[in-house]
Amino acid sequence: QVQLLASGGGLVQPGGSLCLSCIVSDFPVSIYTMAWYCQSPEKERELVASIPPVGVTNVADSVKGRFTISRDNGQKSVFLQMNSLKPEDTAVYYCNTANQNIAWGQGVQVTVSS
């Protein structure tokens, strides 16, 4: 049974940092392009960043220079390091493949507020 278990969300002040983690079970994560998405009441689910098995990572313009995506195939995990957080980053964050091959998990809430 394929599962996406995301963690690491929470409440942080503007300028703070968080690191999100996603463990993908029963899935050959090493051969897929993995990605993080975000969704808020104001916006549809959007791609934040993606990382292919081999090659350069991609990040959305809105988080360029602040967010970094990485992976650890041995741990079947994908990470999103979030620095210099802004209130507009507030959203629910989800992990999946870039082609959404896996049923969506619950995601994690990230709230940036004073």
Side-chain angles (χ1 to χ4, degrees):
Q1 182 178 355
V2 180
Q3 288 186 295
L4 298 167
L5 302 176
S7 62
L11 173 64
V12 296
Q13 295 182 322
S17 298
L18 285 174
C19 185
L20 307 184
S21 300
C22 178
I23 300 174
V24 189
S25 62
D26 296 329
F27 187 82
V29 62
S30 63
I31 65 173
Y32 282 85
T33 295
M34 302 302 298
W36 285 93
Y37 304 81
C38 67
Q39 186 174 30
S40 69
E42 307 137 319
K43 301 178 180 179
E44 297 181 358
R45 202 191 317 265
E46 298 179 338
L47 180 68
V48 177
S50 64
I51 179 169
V54 178
V56 181
T57 61
N58 295 285
V59 298
D61 289 340
S62 60
V63 301
K64 183 180 179 181
R66 299 189 296 118
F67 291 9
T68 302
I69 187 171
S70 61
R71 65 195 299 162
D72 187 329
N73 292 331
Q75 299 181 23
K76 295 185 177 295
S77 299
V78 186
F79 308 95
L80 186 67
Q81 179 64 49
M82 311 166 72
N83 298 327
S84 302
L85 283 161
K86 304 175 181 179
E88 50 262 45
D89 296 321
T90 297
V92 178
Y93 287 76
Y94 302 84
C95 63
N96 210 318
T97 69
N99 291 327
Q100 303 176 12
N101 297 102
I102 307 171
W104 293 105
Q106 294 183 352
V108 293
Q109 177 70 49
V110 172
T111 302
V112 185
S113 176
S114 298

